Amino acid sequence: MNIISITQAHRKTSHTIIESDDDSDIEMDDQGIITRTGTGTGASSSLVVTPGELITSDPTWMKGHGTYYLTSSSTTTTDENNNNNNSEMPTYSSLAGTIQKVNKLLTVVPFKGRYKPETGDHIIGRITGISVKRWKVDIGGERSATLLLGSVNLPGGVLRRKTEADELQMRSFLKEGDLVNCEVQNGGGDGGCMLHTRSLKYGKLRNGVFVKVPSGLIVRSKNHSFDLPGGVSIILGVNGFCWIGMTKRDGSGNSNSSGNVIGNNLKTEAGLTQKKYK
Amino acid sequence: MSRLELYSPEGIRIDGRRFNELRQFTSQLNTHPNVSDGSSYVQQGNSKVICLVQGPMESLSNTNAGGASKLDHNGPILSININYPPFANNVRKKRMRNDRRLQELCVVLKRCFLKTIVSKNYARTVIEVNITVLSMDGGLLACCCNAITLALIDAGIALYDYVSAISIGLYNQIPLLDMNTLEENDLSFITIGVVGDSDKLNLVLCEDKLPLDNLEALISLGIEGCHRIKQLMDEQVRLVGTDLLSKKQ
Amino acid sequence: MVLSPAERSYIYDSLKSPDVARTDSRKYNQFRPLKATCYFLPNSNGSSRIFKADSLECITSVKANVIKTKDLSQLINVEVDIQGQRDDSPLCQDLSTFLTKSLIDSFDVKTLQLTDKFYYQLFIDIVILSIPADFQNSSYTLYSLISLTSMGTYLALKTTRLPLLTSSTNDKEIEEEPSFSDDWESSTYLISKESNFKPTLLFIVGVVGNNVIIDPSMEEEEVLEHGFCIGFNNNKIVPPVQSVMLSTVDGKAFSQSTLFKAMDMVKEIGAPVVEALDAIADQEFDEFDSAF
């Protein structure tokens, strides 16, 4: 039965044709990955998959995140153990994204998604709650993260055994709404993760403003803190939470010189003239 | 006003379509990137619907921290809410807060999408879906279903497949695809949601009475219509996705 | 969003300084960029969608009804619906009241008059699509929405079309209901191009110390000491001129000179804003351009 459908005339938008020197493109066809014929937007379109699309029928591929397979009687996901080595297990995509192959592992990386924490990520979090010997931190991911009392450096010493008095005074150190500069200690594991601030470069953030950007725009790199001219430094957390603030003066340790108004700072350090307010 | 001819002897409906003709289908993804994790806009003829998805997250945005105890270990808590402002219909009418029909549609959609989302990945999380109907000219459930599918895909939530939906009505013995308001008011119709390119249905709702012997013809026409809609949605997803990719590189 | 005490004091000190340093480097009288589209609701006489990037979005619809009445105050009805808030919450009620009052005071009722007895009754429905998730925990009151909704209403009213009246306007002799043309192409604008009538615009001004700022962002709202809602019409300040609380903490009193400063600022920027909105309303309606 034929269906007649009407669609709007599209204005032709220009797509940048991406010249791909990627070797993996050539391997894909040899290893039985079914790709969609390009729609004229360049090599990248052949890697795009959408939910429900068949990626490959080859059972030798290991199925990673973003894929699923169907057995004859039931639907199973990659998290379950599967012993059906003899039956056909075509791999389908469950996300809209691009295919990524690492050795024999097949995953689909989605176009967009919430931040997924990984061990070693330098991020910024906002305290949302306090419970026994730990703080609950919002990092913009699927779940809140945990910051244990034992994982922070208290003022008055880099390493100090946490006493019971400290447990009762957690709010005096970090309260709800505070921003902390920290690192992911234990990433992944169903989305919840543990954080720590065990270094002089981490800790509570002061004298600045907070900006949130989509987490996909931040590239993981060795260093996420940068000093800009004018006495300004920025921290680009991998989770998309960023901090623009005053550069910490050298030799002041953990405590910052407090209460400097940015107006005065601009005058003295960047040499701007004072504007008259009419 | 002269008698409205829902289906002329030549095979033309009120708005000039044939029995197997879909209304103009337009969709857009990522319409509200800053207020939601996933968003979509679906337009079927004059029916326009916006869908905003928040999640997966730990608790509902409108409760104060108390939701943790209700989290499900087997899958996500899916909360669907349809907002139907008074200007959506032709005649302005303010809806009561707990409109029964809207609540029933929410339950039907929730059941459908709990089967479509790969639940195992989202245990103990909450996914919040908010639909705003801007203008309704027939096919409310179908538009909502299509909009939710696109918004979930945009949010990066794993789905087994698309669920594309359409409404089909019966005029005497003739099935009519994609009903508008005038047809819905006079004829019996059924809304079905089809999984991807298969013949399986995840969503079926009939709010009127239909004779059983015509049901098969209705459903097979509907399945064909849904496949076409899935194709149109898929094209849009690829377009938006490729665009996003090209901007990142 | 919830702010830490450090952030709060930083923003407050910056706003209080003589330079009025705003976090997004705007001047004290500078608006954030906004976008708007019209004519996208087929079931309404007029519609507009106005939004700022990274912020709140407001969809306005104007629908008209014909009623026989002598009471001119019921001709304009404004209702605001905020997603996630109850209809009887103070925020929704206050927004509706502000807008209704500002429109009724300045509305040129002759544009709504059909005959001696019959008038158009306008229903203006505003939908705010979403508000930030932690609104309950934050200290801003979102009264800055008054400004956004007022601009949305202005655009919707300017682009409202009404069917052409085909019966005579004098019904003392004929005494029958007005009749209209079925041809939508011959519809007329509620506010014709030649008329001087413009709906009132409401501006929200924030106060910190001796400084006044226009269009406060949500972070700025959290630390503002006070706020004003000032009406503007035809290059003049018009009622309502009212004080509103923009932040639920740190409220302080304001001085008379601050109020006059705020009124002067609104007088200064009112005309360019009206010009910009008129330009949006006059844009050619592109049938093939989707609003989203």
Side-chain angles (χ1 to χ4, degrees), chain A residues 90-104:
Chain A
T91 314
Y92 297 92
S93 164
S94 64
L95 293 172
T98 51
I99 300 178
Q100 190 183 65
K101 299 174 343 299
V102 179
N103 295 336
K104 266 302 200 176

Side-chain angles (χ1 to χ4, degrees), chain B residues 32 41 48-50 52 83 85-88 132-135, chain C residues 35-41 44 46-51 56-62 78-83 99 123-130 145 148-153 155-156 291-292:
Chain B
H32 296 83
Y41 165 75
K48 302 180 192 211
V49 153
I50 300 179
L52 301 171
N83 181 32
F87 53 79
T132 306
V133 179
L134 293 179
S135 121
Chain C
K35 269 176 134 182
T37 44
C38 303
Y39 299 111
F40 63 97
L41 290 180
S44 300
S47 54
S48 76
R49 174 184 179 234
I50 190 163
F51 57 105
L56 309 150
E57 176 175 334
C58 163
I59 295 183
T60 313
S61 134
V62 177
V78 181
E79 270 189 38
V80 178
D81 176 33
I82 300 182
Q83 289 277 39
L99 288 165
F123 289 96
I124 302 176
D125 295 299
I126 301 172
V127 173
I128 310 280
L129 275 190
S130 73
L145 279 176
L148 194 67
T149 47
S150 149
M151 288 200 243
T153 314
L155 278 177
F292 292 90

Side-chain angles (χ1 to χ4, degrees), chain B residues 122-138:
Chain B
Y122 303 107
R124 287 177 290 117
T125 60
V126 174
I127 298 176
E128 197 179 300
V129 178
N130 277 315
I131 302 172
T132 306
V133 179
L134 293 179
S135 121
M136 192 34 58
D137 184 30

Side-chain angles (χ1 to χ4, degrees), chain A residues 96-115:
Chain A
T98 51
I99 300 178
Q100 190 183 65
K101 299 174 343 299
V102 179
N103 295 336
K104 266 302 200 176
L105 177 68
L106 195 64
T107 56
V108 179
V109 175
F111 294 127
K112 240 177 77 171
R114 285 204 166 198
Y115 165 66

Side-chain angles (χ1 to χ4, degrees), chain B residues 113-127:
Chain B
F113 281 98
L114 276 176
K115 283 224 153 53
T116 317
I117 297 177
V118 183
S119 298
K120 289 201 164 50
N121 295 355
Y122 303 107
R124 287 177 290 117
T125 60
V126 174
I127 298 176

Side-chain angles (χ1 to χ4, degrees), chain C:
Chain C
M1 51 147 79
V2 186
L3 288 182
S4 65
E7 282 172 281
R8 213 180 265 279
S9 70
Y10 177 84
I11 298 180
Y12 179 77
D13 288 338
S14 309
L15 289 178
K16 203 165 177 183
S17 76
D19 298 332
V20 197
R22 299 175 81 165
T23 52
D24 46 6
S25 79
R26 280 187 285 157
K27 297 205 275 286
Y28 70 98
N29 59 356
Q30 196 174 350
F31 275 88
R32 281 170 293 178
L34 62 78
K35 269 176 134 182
T37 44
C38 303
Y39 299 111
F40 63 97
L41 290 180
N43 275 335
S44 300
N45 292 84
S47 54
S48 76
R49 174 184 179 234
I50 190 163
F51 57 105
K52 301 186 167 116
D54 195 40
S55 192
L56 309 150
E57 176 175 334
C58 163
I59 295 183
T60 313
S61 134
V62 177
K63 281 177 86 81
N65 235 9
V66 177
I67 58 166
K68 185 177 177 178
T69 181
K70 291 228 167 54
D71 178 13
L72 299 181
S73 65
Q74 47 169 258
L75 289 185
I76 302 187
N77 302 287
V78 181
E79 270 189 38
V80 178
D81 176 33
I82 300 182
Q83 289 277 39
Q85 292 257 309
R86 289 172 57 95
D87 282 345
D88 49 7
S89 73
L91 181 59
C92 290
Q93 299 278 22
D94 283 348
L95 285 181
S96 311
T97 333
F98 266 104
L99 288 165
T100 321
K101 271 201 299 194
S102 73
L103 285 175
I104 287 184
D105 281 343
S106 68
F107 215 91
D108 185 7
V109 189
K110 281 200 279 300
T111 56
L112 295 177
Q113 187 168 23
L114 292 166
T115 65
D116 280 337
K117 294 207 191 92
F118 287 91
Y119 289 84
Y120 274 123
Q121 185 181 34
L122 291 182
F123 289 96
I124 302 176
D125 295 299
I126 301 172
V127 173
I128 310 280
L129 275 190
S130 73
I131 53 177
D134 49 9
F135 175 55
Q136 308 277 19
N137 302 333
S138 313
S139 61
Y140 54 88
T141 57
L142 275 187
Y143 272 86
S144 54
L145 279 176
I146 293 178
S147 184
L148 194 67
T149 47
S150 149
M151 288 200 243
T153 314
Y154 181 93
L155 278 177
L157 285 171
K158 280 225 92 173
T159 56
T160 300
R161 302 185 74 129
L162 297 169
L164 183 67
L165 185 67
T166 50
S167 61
S168 84
T169 52
N170 181 357
D171 65 353
K172 281 208 174 61
E173 297 154 6
I174 308 175
E175 295 274 345
E176 63 183 36
E177 280 189 9
S179 58
F180 300 90
S181 159
D182 276 341
D183 185 9
W184 187 246
E185 294 298 312
S186 60
S187 58
T188 55
Y189 280 100
L190 168 67
I191 302 173
S192 63
K193 307 273 185 204
E194 299 84 31
S195 101
N196 276 332
F197 162 58
K198 288 186 204 295
T200 306
L201 271 177
L202 295 173
F203 290 96
I204 292 287
V205 179
V207 175
V208 179
N210 279 332
N211 297 337
V212 290
I213 53 173
I214 194 85
D215 191 21
S217 68
M218 284 194 274
E219 293 91 2
E220 291 169 344
E221 252 189 87
E222 293 209 34
V223 303
L224 286 175
E225 291 170 0
H226 215 100
F228 297 123
C229 168
I230 300 180
F232 179 88
N233 192 344
N234 268 332
N235 292 319
K236 289 196 300 279
I237 305 285
V238 296
V241 175
Q242 198 163 336
S243 81
V244 289
M245 287 310 294
L246 292 175
S247 161
T248 54
V249 300
D250 299 341
K252 287 198 181 61
F254 59 90
S255 71
Q256 200 184 38
S257 57
T258 326
L259 174 56
F260 286 129
K261 226 188 241 177
M263 286 169 64
D264 286 338
M265 176 170 72
V266 170
K267 237 197 254 187
E268 204 182 296
I269 50 152
V273 171
V274 169
E275 245 183 73
L277 289 176
D278 284 342
I280 297 177
D282 289 336
Q283 258 175 5
E284 275 280 309
F285 168 48
D286 187 358
E287 287 244 353
F288 296 105
D289 217 0
S290 180
F292 292 90

